[in-house]
Amino acid sequence: SAVISQKPSRDICQRGTSLTIQCQVDSQVTMMFWYRQQPGQSLTLIATANQGSEATYESGFVIDKFPISRPNLTFSTLTVSNMSPEDSSIYLCSVVSLHIYNEQFFGPGTRLTVL
Amino acid sequence: GDSVTQMEGPVTLSEEAFLTINCTYTATGYPSLFWYVQYPGEGLQLLLKATKADDKGSNKGFEATYRKETTSFHLEKGSVQVSDSAVYFCALSGSARQLTFGSGTQLTVLP
């Protein structure tokens, strides 16, 4: 299985600021996704991170608020822009490996609190 | 669109009790089905999966069978332990590989 790390693991931020979350995988993967888990809730897909092109966003999520980059097959970033307390969530990246195509592996998550 | 409906929680059981968490889905085509588990303070882990009708996924004493006729993927365990206390998520993956999650079920097992 792929080993995924995320940085930072947690952060407390002020309203109106932005935070960039990094996701690093130890092997090449086909697909990378970003999810949000609001407190006490299930996971919601934010976007699919596409290598070398713009991410594909789900309904309710826009690039200006959640810009995503994926410069290569093993790394992606998610930025949460102009934060408000409603953005307080756990943000998780997940990957589909080249070798186990029908499973997704999740990173440990980034716990964000916006004051 | 795709959707997953999961048994509402929380569920509280005594150790060694039988566990069932119901999960039904709506999807086009032939999705893969998953159960993920999230232990307190930890990330999301894949518990088991099934990729086609009548497949049975199993792991750590947990089982779930992909039932196409009833569009269900119920999670079962014959004898739960305190260490099974966690949140359990049912999910499906379609052709785009994105996961659609159920609402999650909090399980607490008492000694």
Side-chain angles (χ1 to χ4, degrees):
Chain A
S1 65
V3 177
I4 306 164
S5 60
Q6 282 185 235
K7 290 181 182 179
S9 58
R10 59 178 62 228
D11 208 340
I12 300 173
C13 300
Q14 296 298 320
R15 181 196 298 261
T17 62
S18 298
L19 176 72
T20 296
I21 302 167
Q22 298 180 2
C23 178
Q24 178 73 57
V25 192
D26 69 342
S27 57
Q28 291 187 347
V29 297
T30 56
M31 305 186 77
M32 297 182 78
F33 302 97
W34 286 98
Y35 290 84
R36 180 175 74 182
Q37 186 177 21
Q38 294 177 299
Q41 303 296 312
S42 186
L43 284 79
T44 301
L45 180 66
I46 297 172
T48 303
N50 300 309
Q51 187 202 353
S53 64
E54 190 172 290
T56 305
Y57 290 84
E58 297 299 302
S59 176
F61 298 95
V62 295
I63 189 171
D64 289 347
K65 176 67 176 177
F66 298 101
I68 289 171
S69 77
R70 188 182 172 190
N72 57 50
L73 287 175
T74 63
F75 183 78
S76 178
T77 66
L78 166 74
T79 299
V80 186
S81 303
N82 188 26
M83 288 184 284
S84 67
E86 291 71 36
D87 294 320
S88 297
S89 295
I90 299 174
Y91 293 86
L92 301 102
C93 72
S94 72
V95 304
V96 177
S97 86
L98 282 173
H99 309 294
I100 310 176
Y101 67 95
N102 59 3
E103 285 185 28
Q104 273 190 41
F105 300 97
F106 282 81
T110 295
R111 184 179 294 272
L112 171 62
T113 302
V114 184
L115 302 178
Chain B
D2 297 345
S3 67
V4 176
T5 301
Q6 192 174 333
M7 178 172 138
E8 293 285 332
V11 174
T12 301
L13 295 173
S14 297
E15 204 164 26
E16 299 184 4
F18 184 84
L19 169 71
T20 299
I21 302 177
N22 290 336
C23 172
T24 57
Y25 67 91
T26 302
T28 54
Y30 303 94
S32 295
L33 302 175
F34 305 87
W35 278 99
Y36 282 85
V37 59
Q38 190 173 37
Y39 296 103
E42 297 187 17
L44 208 62
Q45 301 176 25
L46 178 64
L47 180 61
L48 54 84
K49 68 176 182 181
T51 57
K52 61 182 187 296
D54 299 326
D55 266 4
K56 178 185 283 189
S58 61
N59 186 24
K60 298 181 181 180
F62 291 90
E63 292 184 341
T65 301
Y66 190 144
R67 301 285 188 200
K68 193 171 188 301
E69 64 276 13
T70 55
T71 61
S72 65
F73 193 55
H74 305 321
L75 182 69
E76 297 182 337
K77 186 174 185 181
S79 175
V80 294
Q81 305 301 310
V82 172
S83 57
D84 294 326
S85 297
V87 181
Y88 292 82
F89 293 95
C90 185
L92 69 81
S93 172
S95 58
R97 300 280 184 261
Q98 301 154 333
L99 284 170
T100 300
F101 284 89
S103 57
T105 301
Q106 171 77 56
L107 170 66
T108 300
V109 180
L110 302 175

